[in-house]
Amino acid sequence: MSVEVLDGATIVNFVEDEEAFNLAVHHRFGNLDTNHDGILSYAEMLKELQSLRVFETHYGIDVKPDPEEIAHVYDSLFVQFDHDSNGAVDLEEFKAETKRMMLAMANGMGFLPVQMVLEEDGFLKKAVERESTKIKQLLN
């Protein structure tokens, strides 16, 4: 994890850079697709859904929610990705929903810089790295 400064534009620019965004999505999808069948089952997606940390409530301190509530939330999140309701998520569904979620974060964040703790291989970290690279290229 690292502490980074970003804003909504950082995320929007990353998503709009099709090459960078597609590369990140393909990489993440490939890591999640443990049986390499080209689709993500609920079990394969569960790790990704858990990484969203929807149950973290107080500055990194996890709470013990009701197991039924956990199952319901993760089921609901999986359904958001499974656009054709076939019980699996293909690459295009994963990409489309990831894009939708990233743009929603950007919209909610706005265009004032915020400091965040980011996971090293996460989409937001990749967005910050892309922006840093672009700035360095402009300065050289």
Side-chain angles (χ1 to χ4, degrees), residues 6-12 102-114 116:
L6 69 153
D7 63 8
T10 304
I11 299 169
V12 170
M102 296 284 292
L103 292 174
M105 281 190 282
N107 186 48
M109 188 178 291
F111 293 96
L112 292 175
V114 295
M116 295 178 70

Side-chain angles (χ1 to χ4, degrees), residues 27-79:
H27 177 74
R28 178 65 60 86
F29 188 89
N31 286 341
L32 294 172
D33 186 14
T34 55
N35 65 359
H36 310 291
D37 64 355
I39 58 172
L40 301 177
S41 66
Y42 179 82
E44 289 171 317
M45 278 287 295
L46 187 57
K47 181 180 177 188
E48 184 74 357
L49 298 175
Q50 290 169 335
S51 77
L52 298 174
R53 301 193 56 82
V54 293
F55 290 106
E56 183 178 316
T57 58
H58 297 90
Y59 307 103
I61 300 171
D62 292 328
V63 296
K64 284 280 192 189
D66 176 42
E68 287 184 30
E69 181 183 6
I70 293 172
H72 177 71
V73 168
Y74 290 143
D75 289 348
S76 297
L77 287 169
F78 184 79
V79 166

Side-chain angles (χ1 to χ4, degrees), residues 94-123:
F94 185 76
K95 178 181 165 185
E97 193 59 27
T98 300
K99 182 176 185 175
R100 191 180 76 77
M101 289 173 59
M102 296 284 292
L103 292 174
M105 281 190 282
N107 186 48
M109 188 178 291
F111 293 96
L112 292 175
V114 295
Q115 193 172 31
M116 295 178 70
V117 176
L118 303 179
E119 300 209 14
E120 287 303 319
D121 199 34
F123 288 112

